[in-house]
Amino acid sequence: RRVHGGNSLEYSRMSTSLMISPKVSFRVDGDVAIVTIENAPVNALHADVYKGLQASIARIESDPAIAACVLTGKGSAFIAGADIKAFGEMFTYPEETVYKNSLQLNESFDPIEEGKKPWVAALNGTTLGGGLEFAMMCSHRVSVPTTVLGLPELQLGLIPGLGGTQRLPRLIGVQNAVRAMLESSNIKAEQALKWGLVDKIVPPTELLATAISLARDIAQGKVPRQYNLQRSDRLENSMIAKQVINVASGMATKKSPHMPQPHACLRAIGAGVSTSGKEGRKTEAAEFAKCAKHPVSSALIHIFLAQRACAKVDGVSHLKPRELKTVAVIGGGLMGSGIATALVSSGFRVFLKEINQQFLDAGVSRVSANLESRVKKGALTPEKKQAILNLLVPVLTYDQFKEVDIVIEAVIEKVELKQSVFVDLEKATRPDCILATNTSTINIDIVSDKISSKNRVIGAHFFSPAHIMPLLEIVVSKHTDPQVTADLLALAGKIKKTAVVVGNCPGFAVNRTFFPYTMAAGVLVDRGVDPYEIDRVIKAFGMPMGPFRLGDLVGIDVLLFTSGQYHEHFGDRTYKSNLIQSITEKNGLGEKSGKGFYLYDESRKQKNDPSLASFLTEYRKKNGLPAEPLKLSDKEIAEIIFFPVINEATRIIDEGFVQKSSDLDIASVFGMGFPAHLGGPIHYADHLTAKYVHDRLVHYHNLFGLPLFKPSSFLATRAKDGIPLAAPKRSDAFTPSDDDIVIVSGARTAIGRAKKGGFNATPIDDLLAVVIAKALADASPIKAEEIGDVVVGTVLGSMAATQARTGMLLAGMPNTVPVRTVNRQCSSGLQAIVDVAAAIKAGLYDVGIACGAESMSMNPMMPKEFKPNSNVLKKPDVATSYLPMGITSENVASRFGVSREVQDKFAVESHRRAAAAIKAGKLNHIVPVTTKMQNGDQLQEVTVTMDEGVREETTFEGLNKLKPAFKPDGTTTAGNASQTSDGAAAVVVTTRRKAKQLGLKPLATLRSYYVAGCDPAIMGIGPAVAIPGAVQRAGLTLDDIKVYEINEAFASQATYCVEKLGLGYERVNPNGGAIAIGHPLGMTGCRMTVDIIHELKRTGGGNGVVSMCIGTGMGAAAVFHVEA
């Protein structure tokens, strides 16, 4: 028997796995411990992983029967780096604290390398970042052939922080290590073996056995143990090492002048090489801390997380994409051929259509040339190129378009032509075929104006060159079917594009954001500033090129056309310069004509035009512009160019054309080359502060007298209130109305354990009497006789209607007040609130009481006399409505891959949160109930003050021992399912107008309610289908919700819903849920409402969602708002 953390844990020498922490399991094979990281999906490092590893170290070091250890990961990853979100809090600490924490964390893992027992890493897959650092702490590394290793921290503005800068050079040499870290390159297993980074490569089936055998051999002295932080046999001599570092530093300065992390990494490497690994680790910790506090790290981490958040689109992400196999591209020009290249390169069969053979041949040649460039770079073999090219089907007609799943139109920007193409496509394609337009400026409703099936039309705006640029701007109109959006998002992922979903407005998101970019540059030239000087400043700022070089690249004629579009649609704030028109009049169209703002040779290499200065002097004179050039610093030039861009971005956010400000940052970085080290225009503005950007725009507005620089109302408000531009546009911009339905008081009992708890002999009318009396007392001066109706949500018991009446009367209410019950199974308590709200809205009365109550001790779940309908049983899809709820949990788990371990971890967390909430006094609003409890043959008086099902001592190992409750081979147990329980809750509901009249301050406003159906066989997914509807009906997004209360009927369904909607566990059930608290069916919805009101009130107000699944296949959700 071993004791750890106060819990008794038993294991044999061939033990089954037990969870030593929520993310780490531990077992023993003879004399070798096997520690497995189990943090799905990629085993990212997290506080629980660190704790589990530290606990494992302590156990291994203290157990004389353990000779060695193997460290591995579960699934297809060893450890794929750190949980970046989890790092966020750490980076808020002072630099000195980050330094100390980093060093202490390193030292806590020293026993892996220096302890009494050797460790071997069994690399079962992806081994990146901290994963590789842990592997290098081990004496040896055994790998499967598919493993990829690397230290990519520099991509996030950081450096390796767990000894990576010290151990990697000692294992593969300084030169190889410097290249690997500075380039954030992936090292394949074969290369790692050649370098000595791994010691053996074996098939996956042999990995663990090989690692165990090697660990034993090391422990027995048959294989020398390696101490990688101390070794120096693979280091170059100090002179060569120093030279390598100096050369790399110079290259980093040239390649990435804005990035501090390459130099920090090199300093850490250099310190270790010149002293020792342990001394170098101190420098590493210091440099890591500096990087962690640097704005570049904040910006790059923001980009990393924002890119992954792009795919989460309200109203879309819950949909399953259809499989698209065949694509048609209309137009084989530069854009069309680039799109076709991207598609065939990703395995799609593509019809490329043109209007004649000459154009078609040219399009095919362009696709071939695009692929040939990859052959020349060694990225493709000639054979692979031909195989890809074989997927391209050149056509001149629409004859084969019935085979097509999606069409992408890429003809020239002429409205009539595009409309004509779409008319043809509607006739030529199947009704379920997606019709996408690649227009960069034209409203897609105009493009689809001539067809009837507008619901399948969507914008697919690629950026040139389409096969290279990483962004796809997906433009949805008011007609676009969300399924079409989901399908195109999935397609984007398959062709390796980052997709941003935006609304339908002129220029969409990217081009609209940047239209002030060239206009502000025109302002400067018109005021005498040299275009070449502007381009120099903007390139130094971090853009790939300045506005005038960009204009030449795009084409001066294209600039002229698009500026006309912006003058037409945004004429109240555009700047009309004659500069572009004047350049075209001197036959300057940019690169394609050999002349624009620059001169170009046959290879399109640029040089300054010596005649431009005299041309501009004449131009300014002709247009009556100031002859004296404006004197501006580089900083002022950059502000004049970019602050109007930020200003326009705030309008796009304010008008709702992007769901998240981070989408605009991603679109700007990936589509326009905005410097990633600044994090995108919104992130950059927030670094400067909204007030600074606003005040400088006011300054430039006064300087130039142009509306281009007038701050938007959104920017002005955020600047005044000190709110970051990126802060969600909470429809917390909540405007109260006298007609709002509000809750003015609420009460609930504790939840008692059915049969075994304090309420096991208490009828629901007694419980109802307590909460009705308390809620009414707290709603004073409302009088009992003013109540228009009492609605009680309850599920079980043939006498429920009678008990609802007697409970109301026991509360002291007059018999003139009516009462009724409502049964919508698990949502009954919430349905009662909504029914009262609906009656008040309809003018039936002004004030009502809604309740939820259940005694599962005194009423059976399923009456014995119930006989299934034989007609129902004949139809399998209907008969699933009879399935026991536990079986539906098993169906959710198996269908969506929710493992037993995930369910048990969720259950433990529910108990932990509930116990913490009780300790912190967060549930002090529970009304104590003194009653009689059945104890054997005796009734004894008890006072129930707190939820009885909460077990702080619940452990993973304890839950692991429980047998499946519904299927012999199932995963749902009594421990990861909600508890049968007893209890009651009540709220007083009225209008804001009535509350004002009575001098009552509303506790919460009911903003929306939504019920949706789902497959009865997996009824637990109900919240996943109901929550988006309720949130959308309230005019909000999922990100606007501060707290989610999702009923934990089963851990399988609760986990699925949280993951499916991407809610993040930190916002869901912060004080635990039904698995710990209990689930008295009819009470639950009302209980959750009372609890979420108190939680939101305690944390400063905001929006909250209450949601639950409903037996027979439904989900219900309501949105409440609590004012601060």
Side-chain angles (χ1 to χ4, degrees), residues 50 82-92 158 288 301:
Y50 293 140
D83 182 342
I84 302 303
K85 285 185 178 179
F87 270 135
E89 183 180 349
M90 186 183 85
F91 292 168
T92 63
L158 301 169
F288 178 87
I301 290 173

Side-chain angles (χ1 to χ4, degrees), residues 92-168:
T92 63
Y93 300 149
E95 184 179 316
E96 181 63 22
T97 303
V98 177
Y99 166 71
K100 288 179 180 177
N101 289 349
S102 177
L103 205 54
Q104 287 171 2
L105 189 65
N106 264 288
E107 290 168 351
S108 74
F109 297 118
D110 279 349
I112 293 177
E113 181 166 331
E114 301 174 355
K116 293 180 283 186
K117 321 290 175 69
W119 287 53
V120 170
L123 308 181
N124 55 302
T126 309
T127 305
L128 297 175
L132 179 54
E133 290 179 289
F134 271 108
M136 292 189 295
M137 294 177 196
C138 298
S139 172
H140 288 69
R141 286 149 298 285
V142 182
S143 174
V144 297
T146 55
T147 295
V148 172
L149 307 91
L151 295 175
E153 286 85 350
L154 272 70
Q155 293 180 341
L156 298 178
L158 301 169
I159 67 168
L162 283 171
T165 63
Q166 305 307 304
R167 291 188 177 93
L168 190 62

Side-chain angles (χ1 to χ4, degrees), residues 763-817:
I764 64 167
D765 37 8
D766 284 345
L767 297 174
L768 276 170
V770 172
V771 292
I772 291 173
K774 175 62 174 170
L776 196 55
D778 289 349
S780 177
I782 293 175
K783 296 180 174 60
E785 55 267 24
E786 293 182 76
I787 302 301
D789 201 358
V790 176
V791 181
V792 179
T794 188
V795 178
L796 307 176
S798 59
M799 297 296 291
T802 300
Q803 289 176 306
R805 178 66 171 168
T806 54
M808 182 206 81
L809 295 174
L810 286 171
M813 296 189 68
N815 59 18
T816 54
V817 177

Side-chain angles (χ1 to χ4, degrees), residues 636-672:
E636 288 172 315
I637 289 173
E639 289 181 351
I640 289 168
I641 297 292
F642 285 107
F643 283 12
V645 169
I646 293 168
N647 200 30
E648 193 61 31
T650 66
R651 292 188 176 96
I652 292 171
I653 295 169
D654 191 32
E655 293 165 17
F657 288 109
V658 290
Q659 287 192 358
K660 307 179 288 293
S661 65
S662 60
D663 288 349
L664 209 47
D665 283 336
I666 289 295
S668 300
V669 170
F670 287 8
M672 290 297 293

Side-chain angles (χ1 to χ4, degrees), residues 937-951:
D937 295 332
Q938 303 295 316
L939 283 174
Q940 66 181 64
E941 185 172 288
V942 294
T943 300
V944 184
T945 61
M946 202 53 61
D947 299 325
E948 294 179 335
V950 181
R951 294 288 180 268

Side-chain angles (χ1 to χ4, degrees), residues 1085-1098:
C1086 198
R1087 186 278 299 172
M1088 294 167 73
T1089 300
V1090 172
D1091 283 357
I1092 202 170
I1093 289 171
H1094 282 274
E1095 177 63 16
L1096 288 170
K1097 200 76 176 173
R1098 187 184 65 80

